[in-house]
Amino acid sequence: MFIAMNRFRVNPERVEEFEQIWLERETHLQGLPGFVEFHMLRGPEKEDHVLYASHTIWRSREDFEAWTHSEAFRKAHANAGQSKREGLYLGPPNFEGFEVIQTVGNDGDA
């Protein structure tokens, strides 16, 4: 399993706009080979930004990399650099990729 994360530092005055953009966008992820699930996470608020992270789970790194070269990826990121978003982010997103080495699940015996 592979987890792909992007961290976004968002202007605190524009968090509603940021969240609306993500809630309304088409991800183009459903039905892709190896795609498991996507999460958008809101993290801590600092003086100059609110931290967000997109968290996508893939069956393998190869499935993730295939997606990054696909038409679905190009469609999902077509409007990423729009000028109306100037000032929304404090710098570019920071990508982090992780190979899963252990998974602990809830077996339902709680």
Side-chain angles (χ1 to χ4, degrees):
M1 194 174 316
F2 183 77
I3 296 175
M5 294 183 74
N6 274 300
R7 293 175 185 259
F8 304 88
R9 293 177 303 137
V10 176
N11 181 335
E13 297 173 1
R14 298 183 65 186
V15 295
E16 288 182 30
E17 178 184 354
F18 174 82
E19 290 182 10
Q20 200 63 35
I21 288 168
W22 280 89
L23 292 171
E24 292 177 354
R25 75 190 284 263
E26 291 187 49
T27 64
H28 301 279
L29 291 168
Q30 292 83 354
L32 290 172
F35 171 70
V36 178
E37 61 188 12
F38 171 86
H39 301 270
M40 175 53 80
L41 311 170
R42 183 181 326 137
E45 188 169 334
K46 304 291 184 181
E47 188 173 310
D48 66 338
H49 71 275
V50 178
L51 183 64
Y52 286 83
S54 64
H55 175 249
T56 311
I57 301 174
W58 296 87
R59 181 181 55 208
S60 68
R61 177 186 292 269
E62 293 76 21
D63 288 323
F64 167 74
E65 290 176 354
W67 172 68
T68 66
H69 300 292
S70 72
E71 182 63 25
F73 180 87
R74 285 186 285 284
K75 287 180 182 177
H77 294 85
N79 298 321
Q82 289 182 343
S83 61
K84 69 181 181 180
R85 297 187 184 161
E86 188 173 326
L88 182 63
Y89 303 103
L90 276 62
N94 295 320
F95 174 78
E96 298 170 321
F98 299 90
E99 296 283 348
V100 175
I101 62 167
Q102 180 185 31
T103 299
V104 177
N106 184 355
D107 62 8
D109 291 337

